[in-house]
Short mmCIF file of all heavy atoms in Angstrom, two decimals:
data_model
loop_
_atom_site.label_atom_id
_atom_site.label_comp_id
_atom_site.label_asym_id
_atom_site.label_seq_id
_atom_site.Cartn_x
_atom_site.Cartn_y
_atom_site.Cartn_z
N LYS A 16 -8.69 -4.02 -58.37
CA LYS A 16 -10.05 -4.48 -58.04
C LYS A 16 -10.45 -4.08 -56.60
O LYS A 16 -11.64 -4.08 -56.29
CB LYS A 16 -10.16 -5.98 -58.23
CG LYS A 16 -9.25 -6.83 -57.36
CD LYS A 16 -9.54 -8.32 -57.54
CE LYS A 16 -8.75 -9.18 -56.60
NZ LYS A 16 -7.62 -9.87 -57.14
N TYR A 40 -0.86 2.23 -50.04
CA TYR A 40 -1.06 3.19 -51.14
C TYR A 40 -2.02 4.32 -50.76
O TYR A 40 -2.35 5.16 -51.56
CB TYR A 40 -1.61 2.47 -52.38
CG TYR A 40 -0.75 1.31 -52.79
CD1 TYR A 40 -1.03 0.02 -52.36
CD2 TYR A 40 0.39 1.53 -53.58
CE1 TYR A 40 -0.19 -1.03 -52.72
CE2 TYR A 40 1.22 0.48 -53.92
CZ TYR A 40 0.92 -0.80 -53.49
OH TYR A 40 1.74 -1.83 -53.82
N PRO A 69 -23.29 5.42 -27.87
CA PRO A 69 -24.63 5.57 -28.41
C PRO A 69 -24.74 6.64 -29.49
O PRO A 69 -25.79 6.82 -30.09
CB PRO A 69 -25.45 5.98 -27.18
CG PRO A 69 -24.49 6.78 -26.37
CD PRO A 69 -23.12 6.19 -26.62
N VAL A 72 -20.61 7.99 -33.54
CA VAL A 72 -19.53 8.86 -34.05
C VAL A 72 -18.36 8.00 -34.50
O VAL A 72 -17.98 7.05 -33.80
CB VAL A 72 -19.08 9.84 -32.94
CG1 VAL A 72 -18.01 10.79 -33.49
CG2 VAL A 72 -20.26 10.64 -32.41
N GLU A 85 -14.46 19.86 -39.28
CA GLU A 85 -15.76 20.56 -39.32
C GLU A 85 -15.96 21.14 -40.72
O GLU A 85 -15.01 21.64 -41.32
CB GLU A 85 -15.76 21.69 -38.29
CG GLU A 85 -17.10 22.39 -38.19
CD GLU A 85 -17.13 23.38 -37.03
OE1 GLU A 85 -17.28 22.94 -35.89
OE2 GLU A 85 -17.01 24.58 -37.31
N GLY A 122 -48.86 21.98 -41.43
CA GLY A 122 -49.47 22.03 -40.09
C GLY A 122 -49.18 20.85 -39.19
O GLY A 122 -49.58 20.84 -38.03
N ARG A 142 -39.31 23.02 -46.18
CA ARG A 142 -40.18 22.74 -47.33
C ARG A 142 -41.66 22.75 -47.03
O ARG A 142 -42.46 22.92 -47.96
CB ARG A 142 -39.82 21.37 -47.88
CG ARG A 142 -38.39 21.29 -48.29
CD ARG A 142 -38.25 20.66 -49.63
NE ARG A 142 -36.92 20.91 -50.12
CZ ARG A 142 -36.30 20.15 -50.99
NH1 ARG A 142 -36.92 19.10 -51.48
NH2 ARG A 142 -35.10 20.43 -51.42
N VAL A 174 -38.46 24.45 -35.77
CA VAL A 174 -37.69 23.31 -35.23
C VAL A 174 -37.27 23.64 -33.80
O VAL A 174 -36.67 24.68 -33.53
CB VAL A 174 -36.44 23.00 -36.09
CG1 VAL A 174 -35.65 21.85 -35.47
CG2 VAL A 174 -36.85 22.65 -37.50
N ILE A 193 -49.13 14.30 -28.99
CA ILE A 193 -49.07 15.60 -29.67
C ILE A 193 -48.73 15.45 -31.17
O ILE A 193 -48.92 16.38 -31.94
CB ILE A 193 -47.99 16.53 -29.06
CG1 ILE A 193 -46.60 15.89 -29.19
CG2 ILE A 193 -48.30 16.89 -27.63
CD1 ILE A 193 -45.52 16.91 -29.31
N LYS A 236 -41.80 -8.51 -44.17
CA LYS A 236 -42.11 -9.56 -43.16
C LYS A 236 -41.18 -9.42 -41.97
O LYS A 236 -41.59 -9.54 -40.81
CB LYS A 236 -41.91 -10.95 -43.78
CG LYS A 236 -43.15 -11.46 -44.44
CD LYS A 236 -43.12 -13.01 -44.46
CE LYS A 236 -44.30 -13.48 -45.27
NZ LYS A 236 -43.91 -14.21 -46.46
N ALA A 271 -32.99 -0.61 -43.02
CA ALA A 271 -34.32 -0.70 -43.65
C ALA A 271 -35.27 0.25 -42.93
O ALA A 271 -35.05 0.62 -41.78
CB ALA A 271 -34.82 -2.12 -43.54
N CYS A 272 -36.30 0.63 -43.66
CA CYS A 272 -37.29 1.57 -43.08
C CYS A 272 -38.70 1.04 -43.29
O CYS A 272 -39.00 0.47 -44.34
CB CYS A 272 -37.16 2.94 -43.75
SG CYS A 272 -38.47 4.09 -43.26
N LYS A 279 -54.87 4.44 -32.57
CA LYS A 279 -54.93 4.05 -31.14
C LYS A 279 -56.34 3.71 -30.74
O LYS A 279 -57.32 4.23 -31.28
CB LYS A 279 -54.43 5.22 -30.31
CG LYS A 279 -52.94 5.44 -30.40
CD LYS A 279 -52.53 6.52 -29.41
CE LYS A 279 -51.07 6.81 -29.45
NZ LYS A 279 -50.72 7.96 -28.61
#
Side-chain angles (χ1 to χ4, degrees):
K16 62 174 185 256
Y40 305 95
V72 182
E85 185 172 282
R142 301 226 166 154
V174 178
I193 61 150
K236 270 206 187 117
C272 172
K279 289 186 180 173

